[in-house]
Amino acid sequence: MAAPLPTARTNPFDPPEELRADDRGIRRFTLPDGSLGWLITSHPLAKSVLADSGFSSKMELRKQVVARGETRDKETGKPPVDGMFIAMDPPEHTRFRRQLTGQFTVRRMNQLQPRIQQIVDEHLEAMAASGPPADLVAAFALPVPSLVICELLGVPYADRADFQRNSATALRLGVSDEEALAAVQSLAGFLAGLIERKRREPTDDLLSGLIENGELTDRELIGVSMVLLVAGHETTANMLSLGTLALLRHPEQADALRASETSVDVAVEELLRYLSVIQFGTTRVATYETELGGEGIAVGDQVLLSIPAANRDSGQFAEPDQLNLAGQTQGHLAFGHGVHQCLGQQLARIEMRIGYTTLLRRFPTLRLAVPVADIPLRTDMTIYGVHELPVSW
Amino acid sequence: MIKADTNVCIGAGMCALTAPEVFDQSEDDGTVILLTDSPTAEQLAIVEEAVNLCPSGALSLG
Ligand code: HEM
Ligand code: SF4
């Protein structure tokens, strides 16, 4: 009997030992419903599946790889709202992605830099004024990307408590179907109201722009804005807090970054590789019969591409378990690969570059306020990180 | 010669990030724009890297 996907960790940075890539790079694992899936740990195999249009992202075909609340329609398997393009295949997926890519170009994201710097500065000043100590997650890592994505999309930041709580519920393991569905529906209701208001009174933001383009229906816009809002704050928030913990545990490398002796661009790519916060992702479903790493894959087989495993594959990275912020990390899969590769990656990069460097410089004596063993790890969440990060200075 | 297939491109911007002197992105749909199709000898290595990093397979060197 193959084991289920491991979730327990022995330290904050390393993926579960059972996920380590072996020579074959593919093995069986047991899904929550008792059926068998394929777990891919090899970097080149994972990359080739993600680039292969014969492997589907469709929500109707995908099974859960860890036990979470089920929000899909029991009969059709379809998502609870339209427009969830992260779970579509081309050409359907292409129609949505095309509407959005122009908004997320490298140039567009660079233009946001001064405003992001301002948001980071304001939050760090507020943290300095009210501490030490402080919880870095609540004071900095969660609010900064939340405010950035709210401003970009045109979502009122005053409503953050609700959407942060609802998206956390939807992304937590072990919640009931009812609870998860209620959270998604509450989020959908909130976004539907917002879209309706913007249709009447357009504002200068991404959501109003999408409404004006007229290509997407209001129902589709609910799913699109939900994907953007949830993906846009949870992921970056966890990279900021877990990345800070990694910096605090590697003080010499943090000092070099603080003093600009090493490049922050390089450091961000290495942190993305080393931390791989999309800890259970991502999954594809075979739509044709094929072979992967010597194993026969049948139509309908669930294939889990483990990003943490692929990013620690010693066949790809020389010293995969070492954090080396000065080395050039090439080709990590932290943002995925293929047509679904992260839409928000250039935004996330800018938030991390500004976030880490400004934090290190504003607080030259930043340190943990509790023993590292007391920091609550997000092994119970779809997106890995820390629930809290008590710091002092 | 660099070739870019804008029908395949998903606008992820890896090319423009890696080799900004060779690749740009359209303001409308974010797809790749070639600033030149014949990279200089010095640009070749970085262009090869961009081709390699492109997640959609839209870029090729021929
Ligand atoms: C460090 C932070 C982030 C990480 C590690 C990350 C990771 C990922 C990964 C691995 C995927 C691919 C999923 C798959 O192939 O099934 C993805 C897709 C996506 N991400 Fe991110 N992401 C981050 C930040 C963001 C931000 C800031 C945004 C929003 C502005 C965003 C929006 C999206 C969207 C919309 C998709 C779906 C793209 C598609 O299906 O075409 N992400 N992300
Ligand atoms: S890297 Fe590839 S997919 Fe991304 S913008 Fe450039 S050509 Fe398009």
Side-chain angles (χ1 to χ4, degrees), chain A residues 47 51 93 97-98 101-102 104-108 111 269 330-331 337-342 345-346 349 353, chain B residues 5-14 16-17 24-31 33 49 52-56:
Chain A
K47 195 170 166 182
H93 167 262
R97 182 107 187 183
R98 274 290 154 83
T101 42
F104 285 91
T105 59
V106 173
R107 190 183 319 113
R108 274 289 178 94
Q111 286 165 356
E269 300 306 312
Q330 286 265 309
H337 185 70
V339 298
H340 289 281
Q341 196 187 56
C342 183
Q345 56 183 293
Q346 312 308 350
R349 285 189 167 100
R353 286 173 195 160
Chain B
D5 184 345
T6 51
N7 289 316
V8 172
C9 171
I10 57 157
M14 290 310 295
L17 193 72
D24 197 355
Q25 289 176 275
S26 145
E27 276 291 319
D28 297 331
D29 62 6
T31 54
I33 296 172
E49 190 184 321
N52 221 345
L53 286 173
C54 170
S56 69

Side-chain angles (χ1 to χ4, degrees), chain A residues 49-106:
Chain A
V49 170
L50 289 171
D52 185 341
S53 60
F55 286 88
S56 173
S57 282
K58 277 204 180 117
M59 182 102 60
E60 305 87 288
L61 302 178
R62 266 153 86 161
K63 291 185 181 178
Q64 293 192 341
V65 295
V66 285
R68 290 169 54 188
E70 181 61 81
T71 59
R72 293 176 288 192
D73 187 281
K74 295 265 184 305
E75 247 130 65
T76 60
K78 294 234 187 232
V81 294
D82 292 350
M84 303 283 262
F85 61 101
I86 193 164
M88 293 178 191
D89 291 340
E92 227 191 338
H93 167 262
T94 321
R95 181 166 80 89
F96 287 87
R97 182 107 187 183
R98 274 290 154 83
Q99 291 287 311
L100 291 163
T101 42
Q103 311 283 336
F104 285 91
T105 59
V106 173

Side-chain angles (χ1 to χ4, degrees), chain A residues 190-246:
Chain A
F190 162 66
L191 292 167
L194 187 67
I195 290 162
E196 201 189 336
R197 279 205 304 284
K198 284 188 192 291
R199 191 171 281 289
R200 283 199 311 270
E201 289 170 48
T203 35
D204 183 21
D205 48 53
L206 202 151
L207 212 44
S208 292
L210 288 175
I211 293 171
E212 200 172 312
N213 285 355
E215 291 284 329
L216 305 175
T217 67
D218 282 10
R219 287 175 55 93
E220 289 172 338
L221 285 169
I222 295 174
V224 169
S225 50
M226 194 181 294
V227 172
L228 288 172
L229 188 60
V230 174
H233 81 275
E234 282 270 357
T235 46
T236 313
N238 284 294
M239 273 305 298
L240 284 175
S241 46
L242 189 62
T244 301
L245 178 58

Side-chain angles (χ1 to χ4, degrees), chain A residues 61-393:
Chain A
L61 302 178
R62 266 153 86 161
K63 291 185 181 178
Q64 293 192 341
V65 295
V66 285
R68 290 169 54 188
E70 181 61 81
T71 59
R72 293 176 288 192
D73 187 281
K74 295 265 184 305
E75 247 130 65
T76 60
K78 294 234 187 232
V81 294
D82 292 350
M84 303 283 262
F85 61 101
I86 193 164
M88 293 178 191
D89 291 340
E92 227 191 338
H93 167 262
T94 321
R95 181 166 80 89
F96 287 87
R97 182 107 187 183
R98 274 290 154 83
Q99 291 287 311
L100 291 163
T101 42
Q103 311 283 336
F104 285 91
T105 59
V106 173
R107 190 183 319 113
R108 274 289 178 94
M109 295 300 112
N110 283 338
Q111 286 165 356
L112 296 179
Q113 223 157 292
R115 177 62 187 140
I116 294 173
Q117 181 71 58
Q118 200 175 24
I119 290 172
V120 165
D121 289 343
E122 283 167 11
H123 282 84
L124 292 179
E125 283 319 312
M127 181 170 119
S130 67
D135 171 16
L136 193 93
V137 174
F140 174 68
L142 185 59
V144 166
S146 297
L147 180 52
V148 170
I149 194 70
C150 277
E151 289 195 355
L152 188 67
L153 279 179
V155 171
Y157 187 58
D159 294 323
R160 64 187 174 280
D162 273 353
F163 78 67
Q164 285 172 348
R165 194 189 50 249
N166 283 326
S167 71
T169 303
L171 294 172
R172 183 172 299 122
L173 308 191
V175 300
S176 69
D177 296 357
E178 292 72 33
E179 232 182 311
L181 191 60
V184 171
Q185 279 168 343
S186 162
L187 198 50
F190 162 66
L191 292 167
L194 187 67
I195 290 162
E196 201 189 336
R197 279 205 304 284
K198 284 188 192 291
R199 191 171 281 289
R200 283 199 311 270
E201 289 170 48
T203 35
D204 183 21
D205 48 53
L206 202 151
L207 212 44
S208 292
L210 288 175
I211 293 171
E212 200 172 312
N213 285 355
E215 291 284 329
L216 305 175
T217 67
D218 282 10
R219 287 175 55 93
E220 289 172 338
L221 285 169
I222 295 174
V224 169
S225 50
M226 194 181 294
V227 172
L228 288 172
L229 188 60
V230 174
H233 81 275
E234 282 270 357
T235 46
T236 313
N238 284 294
M239 273 305 298
L240 284 175
S241 46
L242 189 62
T244 301
L245 178 58
L247 292 170
L248 293 176
R249 301 296 288 165
H250 297 83
E252 280 162 24
Q253 297 194 50
D255 283 343
L257 197 56
R258 188 182 271 122
S260 298
E261 286 158 13
T262 51
S263 148
V264 67
D265 297 10
V266 172
V268 162
E269 300 306 312
E270 171 68 349
L271 286 167
L272 283 162
R273 178 196 73 80
Y274 184 65
L275 301 172
S276 302
V277 295
I278 309 290
Q279 60 176 337
F280 308 129
T282 175
T283 316
R284 296 291 185 268
V285 183
T287 64
Y288 71 112
E289 211 180 284
T290 182
E291 200 180 282
L292 290 174
E295 299 283 357
I297 308 294
V299 173
D301 276 4
Q302 305 282 319
V303 183
L304 170 65
L305 301 319
S306 171
I307 294 176
N311 278 345
R312 298 287 186 110
D313 182 350
S314 58
Q316 183 72 20
F317 303 103
E319 285 185 302
D321 295 324
Q322 301 302 315
L323 178 73
N324 178 5
L325 295 182
Q328 287 274 1
T329 305
Q330 286 265 309
H332 67 71
L333 297 178
F335 289 123
H337 185 70
V339 298
H340 289 281
Q341 196 187 56
C342 183
L343 176 72
Q345 56 183 293
Q346 312 308 350
L347 176 61
R349 285 189 167 100
I350 291 172
E351 292 182 278
M352 286 184 278
R353 286 173 195 160
I354 296 178
Y356 296 135
T357 48
T358 313
L359 174 70
L360 286 174
R361 285 172 199 154
R362 178 65 185 78
F363 297 98
T365 60
L366 192 74
R367 60 180 184 276
L368 286 180
V370 297
V372 68
D374 292 351
I375 295 168
L377 306 177
R378 290 172 49 112
T379 51
D380 58 337
M381 303 296 285
T382 308
I383 299 163
Y384 182 65
V386 293
H387 285 292
E388 279 172 35
L389 190 64
V391 291
S392 194
W393 55 88

